[in-house]
Amino acid sequence: MVTPPICLFRHGETQWNSEGRFQGQLNSPLTSRGKLQARNNARCLQRQSSLAGPFTVYASPLGRAKETALIMLDELGISADTITYDDRLMEASFGECEGLTEAEVAKSYPDFWQARTADRWIARPPSGESYSDLNSRVSEWYEDVELSQTTLVVCHAMTSRVMRGIYTGLPHEEIVSLTKPHDGFFKLSHGKATHMT
């Protein structure tokens, strides 16, 4: 059965993104570049003549995703009231490692970092979530979601990777290495995830 397309957006660049810090479920504000990315991504959607409204919009409730979604809808001329926020679309919690750089995590939590190097799918940060944990809640959302003619989803890097993996049936070792661009979006359609720019 052919399902309607899902347009999968990552939030715009944040301050912590620019500093190379793990955000998880903490938040930092969008940079000026991140705000521009949100507007440009909405314009990118408008250029795709095959992706017509009405749009159903889902977003992570974390600040950076919420801010991105609101900027995009403003650009698209769509009411912010159309957004459905869902906790299952939040980024994986990075627990005690949130706010730290890779070097800081490797120094402060060497056992976790070694485990992450060996198998990123099952490695769980102290008090955080693994990719496997994230996959469980995103899969639940995907099974519950009611797709419209075109469904927009604004989420995060790891969440986007997992959702693309669920949609296309990729093995775990490939999911953790998928690209995570801020620019453009992924069109999930006909069993493929295509990066639209």
Side-chain angles (χ1 to χ4, degrees), residues 124-137:
R124 183 180 291 118
S127 304
E129 293 177 294
S130 66
Y131 265 103
S132 179
D133 297 328
L134 176 63
N135 187 73
S136 295
R137 63 174 163 86

Side-chain angles (χ1 to χ4, degrees), residues 5-157:
I6 297 174
C7 299
L8 188 58
F9 297 83
R10 184 185 179 190
H11 60 79
E13 180 193 72
T14 68
Q15 185 64 42
W16 278 5
N17 286 148
S18 68
E19 295 172 5
R21 298 185 181 279
F22 290 106
Q23 293 184 112
Q25 294 181 3
L26 291 183
N27 197 62
S28 67
L30 298 186
T31 61
S32 56
R33 180 183 181 189
K35 294 175 183 178
L36 180 60
Q37 287 167 334
R39 291 207 176 275
N40 285 341
N41 289 347
R43 293 167 186 159
C44 179
L45 176 67
Q46 289 177 313
R47 292 195 297 270
Q48 312 303 320
S49 58
S50 64
L51 299 174
F55 298 121
T56 301
V57 186
Y58 294 92
S60 158
L62 295 176
R64 58 194 184 274
K66 184 175 183 179
E67 186 179 2
T68 298
L70 291 173
I71 291 171
M72 287 179 55
L73 292 197
D74 179 68
E75 184 68 29
L76 294 168
I78 300 173
S79 170
D81 294 340
T82 62
I83 303 174
T84 298
Y85 295 103
D86 196 309
D87 289 351
R88 293 172 294 183
L89 295 174
M90 292 196 299
E91 184 62 300
S93 168
F94 224 62
E96 296 172 22
C97 301
E98 292 182 349
L100 303 181
T101 64
E102 287 193 2
E104 289 168 342
V105 173
K107 180 179 179 180
S108 299
Y109 301 94
D111 291 344
F112 159 64
W113 198 251
Q114 186 175 5
R116 186 177 187 270
T117 302
D119 190 339
R120 290 177 68 187
W121 186 257
I122 62 171
R124 183 180 291 118
S127 304
E129 293 177 294
S130 66
Y131 265 103
S132 179
D133 297 328
L134 176 63
N135 187 73
S136 295
R137 63 174 163 86
V138 174
S139 294
E140 182 181 278
W141 175 88
Y142 185 72
E143 291 169 4
D144 288 348
V145 69
E146 294 184 12
L147 300 177
S148 63
Q149 184 169 332
T150 302
T151 299
L152 311 183
V153 178
V154 182
C155 58
H156 307 270

Side-chain angles (χ1 to χ4, degrees), residues 151-185:
T151 299
L152 311 183
V153 178
V154 182
C155 58
H156 307 270
M158 291 174 67
T159 314
S160 172
R161 282 173 167 168
V162 164
M163 195 175 301
R164 282 178 274 158
I166 292 167
Y167 184 81
T168 60
L170 286 175
H172 300 162
E173 58 270 18
E174 292 185 32
I175 292 173
V176 299
S177 298
L178 290 173
T179 58
K180 51 179 185 177
H182 292 285
D183 297 303
F185 64 94

